[in-house]
Amino acid sequence: MLERILFYGASKGRGVVASIDDSNNIGDVTVIPEGSFAKDWTEIAPLSGDRILFYSATRGGGGVAAIDDDNNIGDVTLVPNGSMANDWTQITAVSGDRILFYGKSKGRGVVASIDDGNNIGDVTVIPEGSFAKDWTEVSALHPV
């Protein structure tokens, strides 16, 4: 099975998309030039298919984009600044198109889905104090 991975460099707004095969060989490398990405993405989370959520805590906004089989970025939908909270410290895909947003400072979160049109919906708020305030990483596990 061939898996793809996105590397992002905030300081130059650049990236790389590459594939990793079952033998752990990296190939099919596509360079995404400097200035192609915003320089303030604080979290990037995969969605179903080849879609990715980009989030900026600075702006409380982001974007959803697809990366096609040739490693080209397209189908970009902007999430307007101020549409999201600006305190999410971790974002992880739960399953399918569901995303968990975690805010360390208040121990709170949100679970939401992103539909095929890249719209955020089905929002469930997890109130302040529901989570510990010291999680430094949050990661979804594969279903059993």
Side-chain angles (χ1 to χ4, degrees), residues 2 15 34 42 46 50 57 61 67 72 89 111 120 124 142:
L2 199 60
E34 288 184 24
T42 50
D50 293 330
I67 300 179
N72 298 307
T89 51
V111 177
I120 297 175
T124 301
H142 293 286

Side-chain angles (χ1 to χ4, degrees), residues 40-41 53-64 76-86 88 101 117-120:
D40 66 343
W41 301 131
L53 170 70
F54 298 88
Y55 165 73
S56 167
T58 308
R59 295 181 280 124
V64 178
V76 177
T77 301
L78 296 178
V79 179
N81 295 342
S83 297
M84 295 190 221
N86 62 2
W88 302 132
F101 298 83
N118 296 339
N119 301 301
I120 297 175

Side-chain angles (χ1 to χ4, degrees), residues 5-74:
I5 197 161
L6 169 69
F7 298 84
Y8 163 68
S11 67
K12 296 180 181 178
R14 67 184 190 97
V16 165
V17 177
S19 61
I20 301 175
D21 66 20
D22 288 339
S23 298
N24 299 329
N25 297 305
I26 295 178
D28 193 27
V29 175
T30 300
V31 174
I32 301 168
E34 288 184 24
S36 296
F37 288 125
K39 294 181 179 182
D40 66 343
W41 301 131
T42 50
E43 289 293 315
I44 299 173
L47 301 169
S48 65
D50 293 330
R51 295 182 312 144
I52 295 177
L53 170 70
F54 298 88
Y55 165 73
S56 167
T58 308
R59 295 181 280 124
V64 178
I67 300 179
D68 68 19
D69 292 340
D70 294 323
N71 294 340
N72 298 307
I73 296 177

Side-chain angles (χ1 to χ4, degrees), residues 86-89 102-109 126-133:
N86 62 2
D87 66 337
W88 302 132
T89 51
Y102 164 70
K104 180 178 183 173
S105 65
K106 297 179 182 176
R108 68 186 194 95
I126 302 167
E128 289 185 23
S130 295
F131 290 121
K133 295 181 180 180

